[in-house]
Amino acid sequence: MGKYVFGVDLGGTTVKMGLFDTDGNVQDKWEIPTRKQDAGKLILPDIAEAIKNKMAEKNIEASDVTGVGIGVPGPVDGAGMIYKAPNLGWGVFSIKDTLSELLGGMIVEAGNDANVAALGEMWRGGGKGYSSLVMVTLGTGVGGGIIINGKILTGSTGATGEIGHIHIVDGEPETCGCGKHGCLEMYASATGIARLANRRLAKDDAPTVLRNGDISAKSVFDAVKNGDKVAIEIAEQFGDYLAKGLASVAAAVNPEAFVIGGGVSKAGPVLFDYIVKYYREYVFHGSADAKFTLAELGNDAGIYGAAKLVLS
Ligand SMILES: [Zn+2]
């Protein structure tokens, strides 16, 4: 086993790359643009070249490298096969084999970006010390990554962890990004919290600082911290809905912990005041003791997790 490993986090506009030692200490970190033209066929060659250039720059031989892990924004199965990533122009093919060939036969492992970020948080972030956890990313949408006994749960077509699309509310007139109605991310993402806030404000004239400025997840939780009653009502509803979704997830996969990340998690531990009590109310008793923690690696979770893919 070589003493280095590369972790690659492929995004829609940039590719984040990291060089790690096998203990997970980052040695170098850099980015290249994601060139999506021509059905994304430049993307993997660009990544391979960036890795080779870094090896040349640092005098690293192929035998010093244990492998390259990559997280991609699309469904990836346990064998490193991607099932279409329209965002990148990609169809169905083996990322693992293609990138390995471009790197002269180096070991490559591939995973879905949300699952890979969960693995990163387990290795070096908010999930340290746990081997079965669910990472919940509360951003523009709600994403999820599931690790059971140290391994990513991939499912038959790489579509596990789509917890943002658990059905929560019947009769929702608006449409989710997925085309359905009443999905968790319509209420628990940053945009979802703003939706809850706008609906609450429209209900009556109750005084709240939220009437004075932009409505966002941040403004809601800032107001919560200042004791604003209406903002607290909104946070209660957010916590109730999110907890319903997480209790469903727990009933299926029985995690030791939920690691909460994404932009909304910047609100900090106050989030747990609104999530955990509802979670305990709804969850099957066997999963009642699951811990809640905050993600710690931010945008670097993907490169850490990708590196860990090779070492798991
Ligand atoms: Zn949906």
Side-chain angles (χ1 to χ4, degrees):
M1 191 160 104
K3 57 185 174 208
Y4 296 110
V5 54
F6 286 93
V8 179
D9 181 18
L10 170 53
T13 52
T14 57
V15 185
K16 295 190 185 70
M17 310 192 61
L19 171 65
F20 296 84
D21 66 25
T22 49
D23 293 325
N25 301 302
V26 66
Q27 308 294 308
D28 199 358
K29 219 167 70 165
W30 73 104
E31 290 185 8
I32 61 171
T34 306
R35 295 197 293 161
K36 289 188 287 191
Q37 62 263 44
D38 301 329
K41 68 163 76 104
L42 302 172
I43 297 173
L44 292 181
D46 282 354
I47 290 170
E49 184 170 295
I51 288 170
K52 287 179 191 162
N53 289 344
K54 187 60 64 178
M55 288 168 65
E57 177 195 322
K58 304 255 180 197
N59 287 316
I60 296 172
E61 303 290 330
S63 59
D64 295 330
V65 180
T66 297
V68 176
I70 178 169
V72 303
V76 179
D77 73 10
M81 184 75 91
I82 181 149
Y83 291 84
K84 289 191 183 163
N87 182 31
L88 302 173
W90 283 0
V92 181
F93 70 98
S94 172
I95 296 174
K96 179 181 159 94
D97 294 348
T98 308
L99 185 56
S100 176
E101 200 168 309
L102 289 165
L103 288 166
M106 219 177 254
I107 290 170
V108 171
E109 298 295 342
N112 165 266
D113 54 2
N115 285 326
V116 166
L119 193 61
E121 289 289 345
M122 185 191 83
W123 192 29
R124 299 283 296 194
K128 230 189 290 181
Y130 300 113
S131 59
S132 294
L133 62 80
V134 176
M135 177 161 178
V136 183
T137 304
L138 306 175
T140 321
V142 172
I146 303 175
I147 311 288
I148 297 298
N149 299 328
K151 299 279 182 196
I152 289 175
L153 194 65
T154 51
S156 58
T157 61
T160 51
E162 291 293 345
I163 66 180
H165 303 287
I166 293 174
H167 182 79
I168 297 289
V169 175
D170 290 338
E172 168 62 54
E174 287 186 60
T175 309
C176 178
C178 74
K180 309 269 167 123
H181 300 267
C183 295
L184 177 61
E185 81 173 23
M186 297 189 74
Y187 318 100
S189 62
T191 43
I193 293 167
R195 172 183 286 109
L196 293 178
N198 283 312
R199 287 179 178 178
R200 173 61 190 86
L201 295 195
K203 209 171 84 179
D204 59 30
D205 294 327
T208 163
V209 293
L210 295 173
R211 297 191 194 278
N212 305 335
D214 286 345
I215 304 289
S216 66
K218 182 176 188 312
S219 67
V220 168
F221 278 98
D222 285 347
V224 165
K225 289 171 192 167
N226 287 319
D228 187 284
K229 284 207 174 70
V230 170
I232 288 169
E233 276 181 51
I234 296 162
E236 294 281 356
Q237 194 170 26
F238 151 83
D240 187 341
Y241 287 151
L242 180 56
K244 277 197 176 86
L246 299 186
S248 300
V249 172
V253 303
N254 185 216
E256 295 171 276
F258 289 95
V259 179
I260 311 291
V264 174
S265 72
K266 292 192 181 123
V270 66
L271 286 173
F272 301 140
D273 297 346
Y274 298 93
I275 301 170
V276 178
K277 62 185 173 184
Y278 291 109
Y279 174 81
R280 304 260 188 263
E281 185 180 333
Y282 298 133
V283 75
F284 178 69
H285 57 77
S287 291
D289 293 335
K291 303 290 186 291
F292 284 78
T293 71
L294 291 170
E296 292 173 3
L297 300 176
N299 291 332
D300 286 345
I303 56 172
Y304 279 92
K308 180 62 175 163
L309 265 185
V310 180
L311 300 169
S312 307

